[in-house]
Structures are given as structure tokens and as C-alpha cells.
Amino acid sequence: QVQLVESGGGLVQAGGSLRLSCAASGRTFSTYAMGWFRQAPGKEREFVAHISRTAGTTYYADSVKGRFSISRDNAKNMVYLQMNSLKPEDTAVYYCAARSWYSGSLNPNEYHYWGQGTQVTVSS
């Protein structure tokens, strides 16, 4: 099993930056692909970015491409989401998720473990 704990959310002005972190428990972190998703009030959970087990492959939603960057440190059991040029529409609860597969997925149903989420609020 993997337990995930997100941190780093907060309130930021439009155009600002935040770095989200996700700490994973367990010795098998490197066997999981990791993803970031977000959910705004009244909306469905949506894909943000994913990264493969070895960090060799990353993929981003069009809405965040060029602004967000996903990375991982398998030695520290950590995954990160660097968010730059934030917009009010980025406001949501952000979740990290683990998938027991080499590569990530855009489909949240294909992830096996989820964190509790961290709130990101971008003011205009």
C-alpha cells in the first residue's frame, strides 16, 4: 500500500507561483506512476499531469502545459508540481495519485491510491 500526503497549497495572486509536494509512504514508491488531479467546486475531478515510474515520461493537460511542471524524487519518495503563471481558473483542490503501472494515465479511475488534497486559491 501507498499513503500519500499533499502539501504546499495556499492563496496566491494571479501570475504567481506555488510548488505542491506529495510525500509517499512505503518502500515501493518507484514502482508507481504518479499523477496530479484537481477538482474545483461543482466540477468533476480533472487531470493535470502525470509522470512515469522513472520520470522518463511526463504528460500535461493542455490547460497547464507550459506553466506547470511535474517531477519526482524516488530516493525521497516525493512527487512535485511546480505551478507558474497561475490563473484564477487554476483554483481547486489538488490531489496526487499513484498508479501501479509504468506510466501514468489521464483517467482518475486508473489510479489506486489518493491523497487527501491541498487547496490552491488564485485571486485575480
Side-chain angles (χ1 to χ4, degrees), residues 57-79:
T57 304
T58 58
Y59 191 82
Y60 299 91
D62 287 343
S63 59
V64 307
K65 201 173 296 182
R67 300 188 298 123
F68 290 12
S69 178
I70 188 171
S71 62
R72 67 188 295 163
D73 185 336
N74 286 345
K76 296 181 179 179
N77 283 15
M78 296 291 294
V79 63

Side-chain angles (χ1 to χ4, degrees), residues 4-121:
L4 305 172
V5 179
E6 301 96 335
S7 61
L11 174 64
V12 64
Q13 288 189 332
S17 298
L18 282 174
R19 187 194 195 203
L20 304 185
S21 299
C22 175
S25 65
R27 301 178 183 177
T28 60
F29 175 70
S30 62
T31 66
Y32 291 88
M34 299 298 296
W36 285 97
F37 291 78
R38 66 187 182 187
Q39 188 166 18
K43 296 187 177 181
E44 292 187 352
R45 191 167 296 191
E46 66 170 353
F47 166 76
V48 176
H50 68 64
I51 188 167
S52 62
R53 288 176 181 172
T54 60
T57 304
T58 58
Y59 191 82
Y60 299 91
D62 287 343
S63 59
V64 307
K65 201 173 296 182
R67 300 188 298 123
F68 290 12
S69 178
I70 188 171
S71 62
R72 67 188 295 163
D73 185 336
N74 286 345
K76 296 181 179 179
N77 283 15
M78 296 291 294
V79 63
Y80 306 99
L81 185 69
Q82 178 67 43
M83 305 186 297
N84 299 326
S85 303
L86 283 161
K87 305 175 181 179
E89 51 264 42
D90 294 319
T91 295
V93 177
Y94 283 71
Y95 299 89
C96 71
R99 182 186 190 216
S100 185
W101 198 249
Y102 174 78
S103 59
S105 170
L106 280 66
N107 185 349
N109 294 323
E110 295 184 359
Y111 288 80
H112 301 90
Y113 302 102
W114 291 84
Q116 83 290 347
T118 185
Q119 176 71 47
V120 172
T121 303

